[in-house]
Amino acid sequence: MRFGLTEFLLVLLIAVLAFGPRVSAWMNRWSRQARATRAEDARRRAAWEAERRARRDFILHRFQIAAAVLAILTAAALVYTLGFRPIEAEPQSYTLPAAAAPVGGQSISDTAALAVEGYQPPDCIQVRDGWIYLAARPAEGEGSALLRMREDGSGLMTVLTEEGRITAFAFDPAGDIWYTVLTGEGGALCRASHDGWGATAEQVVTQIDGRRLTYPAAVAAGPDGQIYFTQAADFGPQAGSLDEALRSELIGHTATGWVYAYDPAGRAVRRVMGGIAGAAGLALSPDGETLYVSDLGSRCIWAVDAAGRELTAGGKGCRLFVGDLPGYPTALAVDADGSVYVTYPWAAARWLEDRAADPGIRGIAARLPRSVQRSLFAACPAAAQSFRPDGSLEADYAADAVASGALAPSGNRLYLPGAEDGVCYFRL
C-alpha cells in the first residue's frame, strides 16, 4: 500500500481528533500545577524574606539597645573615673615660690659611657674611694642590687641584693651603707655593713608615729653620724611605683613630703622639715651644717639647718636656695667645693602650673590612667644642672646618651644613668 501525503494527513487528523482532548487536558493540568508550584515557591520566598527581615530587625534592635546601654555605662564610667574615683593625691591649690629663673653658666655635653650588663639604668649612684656604687634593677626579674665597679668600668661586683627597689643610699663615716628600699607593702630605711666577704643588712625604720613608711626617696649621711631620709609624699602603696607617686604629687601638690633625721646612737627619729610637694632629693654641704632638699612640685631647692626641727617648706628657718628651675628636681648631690647638683626627669609643664589655683581641672588629670599621665610630662632639655654655694648657675648638662634620676660628682666627672643602660659621665 502506498502511503503518501494524503494518507499521512488523514492519520494525523484522526490522531488529533482521538488524542487531542486528552493532551489538552494534560497540558492544562501541568500548567496549573506549574503555576501552583511557582506560587508556593513565591509564598515560601516571601515568608523566608519576611522572617529574615524580622530577624534582622530583631538583632538590630537588640544591638541598638546594647549600644545604648554600653554608651551609658561608658559615660558613667568616664564620669566616675574622671570626677569621682578615689585617688591618692586630691589636688590642692598652690603658689610657686617667687624666684628668678637661673641664667648663665656653661653648657656641658661631652660624655662617655661605662657598660653595666644585665641591669637597667641605675636608680641611684655614689662614688667612694675610687669605686662607683650604683643601685639598679635587673634587666629581667624582680628586686634590686647594689653594685660597685672601678671608675674605669672594671671590677663589677654585687655588694647586696634586695627583693624591693633600692631608691637611694649613702655612706656614713664608719663606712656602713644606709639605704631606702620600696616594696609593694611599703618602704624602709635600712643599714648594711659590708666587707670583702659580703654584706649584712637590717631594717632600721619602717614606720613613723605608727604610720608605715611608704615612699622613701632619698638618703644623706652627716659627718656626725646622723642619717637624713625623706618620705616623698604621704601616699599609700596603691599609688604605684615611686615615679608614679611623684607624678601623682606633681598633679595633686598635697605637700605631704617630709625630711627626717635618724640618730643611730639614740635610735630616735626627728622631724626636720615638712610641707614639701615631693621630697625627692637630699644633700648635705661639705661641713654637714646645711641640708639641701629638692621640692619637686614647687620646682625649687630649699636650704635648711641640718639640726633644724619641725620646719616647714617656705617658712621660718627655710631658705630658698634656688627656684623657678627648668624642670622638676629629684636627686641632689654636693661636691667637695660645695656646688649643688640636681637632676630633672621632667620639664616644667605649663598646662599644670597654669592651673595651680584650679584643683578641679587637675583632679581630672589625676584620675587619668597612669599610662596617659606619663605622656603628660616631657623630658627636660637639661638632664642636670649645678649651682655654686651662693645659688648662681654654674653649668647645664645635656646629652642624648644620659638620663635623669640619679647623679654623683667625682673629680672632673659627673655620673648619671645612661639613656638605655649602664652609666654615663660628663667630663667637667
Side-chain angles (χ1 to χ4, degrees), residues 163-164 181-188 206 212-215 235-238:
E163 294 182 358
V181 63
L182 180 63
T183 67
E185 291 74 35
T206 58
R212 182 66 191 256
L213 190 65
T214 51
Y215 286 99
F235 299 157
Q238 58 269 31

Side-chain angles (χ1 to χ4, degrees), residues 115-121 136-142 145 147 156 420-422:
V116 182
E117 295 183 358
Y119 290 90
Q120 301 179 38
R137 288 164 287 174
E140 297 180 359
E142 302 294 331
L147 312 169
L156 180 66
E420 297 182 357
D421 57 12

Side-chain angles (χ1 to χ4, degrees), residues 208-227:
I208 306 291
D209 296 333
R211 291 176 60 84
R212 182 66 191 256
L213 190 65
T214 51
Y215 286 99
V219 178
D224 58 354
Q226 294 282 306
I227 306 300

Side-chain angles (χ1 to χ4, degrees), residues 354-382:
D354 288 345
R355 294 166 177 79
D358 190 355
I361 297 297
R362 288 188 287 117
I364 295 176
R367 290 174 170 86
L368 291 172
R370 288 169 179 163
S371 59
V372 178
Q373 287 183 2
R374 283 195 291 270
S375 66
L376 297 178
F377 298 96
C380 187

